[in-house]
Amino acid sequence: GSIDSTIRCWDCRSRRPDPVQVLDEAKDGVSSVKVSDHEILSGSVDGRIRRYDLRAGQLYSDYIGSPITSVCFSKDGQCALAASLDSTLRLLDKETGELLGEYTGHRSTAYRLDCVLTEQDTHVGSASEDGHVYFWDLVEGSLALSLVVGRGVVQSLSFHPTLPCLLTATEGHVQLWREETFQPDGDTA
């Protein structure tokens, strides 16, 4: 995804420098791209979430209104989560575009901030400009955790795909977070 409003796809097995496909439907910069086995999910500054179904050759677009900073798929593949510059996360049904939940309380007005779903799709999370990471209960929408990460903007976060572990990046530091009781499989120490 690029500030030039395109998504470019390359064949990694080829040595060709030219993309095999250019997706140019966005009307402003593409701020976030996630890829599954057969879909490309993108968020754009034009306020739209676009989902390209590569198997069916279809484009699905949902209008949020506020510039999108980050998008991600739910682990079950049924939903899309989008963060935007109006300090709101929105959970959408991937197929219908129906709004399933809105999550607020963090601050996102000027920076490109990540959003995540936990490894079991039980909580949605967002970086914030106030130095915190916020997690909400996916179903209830209630704030479950406000984690103090630093004093500045939390630029990036990533949740482990199968374990309850979180990576955050702020003020030039990357931190790994996990519950005190966390024991990875096979760890006997």
Side-chain angles (χ1 to χ4, degrees):
S2 173
I3 197 166
D4 73 357
S5 306
T6 66
I7 297 170
R8 295 173 188 265
C9 306
W10 285 270
D11 180 350
C12 294
R13 295 169 293 187
S14 167
R15 293 184 183 259
R16 293 180 39 122
D18 300 323
V20 294
Q21 187 169 20
V22 177
L23 307 170
D24 60 1
E25 287 77 17
K27 304 298 183 232
D28 206 334
V30 176
S31 56
S32 183
V33 175
K34 294 293 187 279
V35 179
S36 75
D37 60 341
H38 68 280
E39 295 175 305
I40 298 172
L41 182 67
S42 71
S44 173
V45 179
D46 67 9
R48 289 195 173 273
I49 299 170
R50 292 177 177 83
R51 182 173 56 91
Y52 299 87
D53 184 329
L54 302 176
R55 284 192 270 191
Q58 293 288 324
L59 166 63
Y60 303 92
S61 178
D62 292 300
Y63 184 66
I64 299 297
S66 181
I68 307 297
T69 63
S70 180
V71 294
C72 65
F73 290 108
S74 59
K75 304 298 180 281
D76 66 8
Q78 302 302 306
C79 301
L81 181 66
S84 58
L85 287 180
D86 61 356
S87 299
T88 304
L89 295 181
R90 291 173 179 86
L91 184 69
L92 304 173
D93 180 285
K94 193 178 76 173
E95 295 300 322
T96 66
E98 177 185 357
L99 181 63
L100 302 175
E102 286 188 327
Y103 311 91
T104 59
H106 64 297
R107 189 169 72 230
S108 176
T109 60
Y111 295 91
R112 188 217 165 274
L113 303 178
D114 286 336
C115 63
V116 295
L117 283 122
T118 57
E119 86 285 1
Q120 296 181 355
D121 282 344
T122 57
H123 293 83
V124 299
S126 178
S128 181
E129 294 170 6
D130 64 5
H132 292 71
V133 172
Y134 292 86
F135 284 96
W136 297 265
D137 182 277
L138 179 121
V139 175
E140 294 177 11
S142 57
L143 184 64
L145 176 66
S146 172
L147 178 66
V148 179
V149 175
R151 291 185 305 266
V153 175
V154 179
Q155 293 99 355
S156 183
L157 64 135
S158 179
F159 214 89
H160 191 281
T162 59
L163 300 174
C165 298
L166 174 72
L167 280 177
T168 61
T170 185
E171 301 172 321
H173 298 281
V174 175
Q175 297 169 316
L176 172 65
W177 301 84
R178 59 187 186 201
E179 296 173 346
E180 288 182 24
T181 59
F182 174 78
Q183 287 292 320
D185 290 341
D187 189 340
T188 58

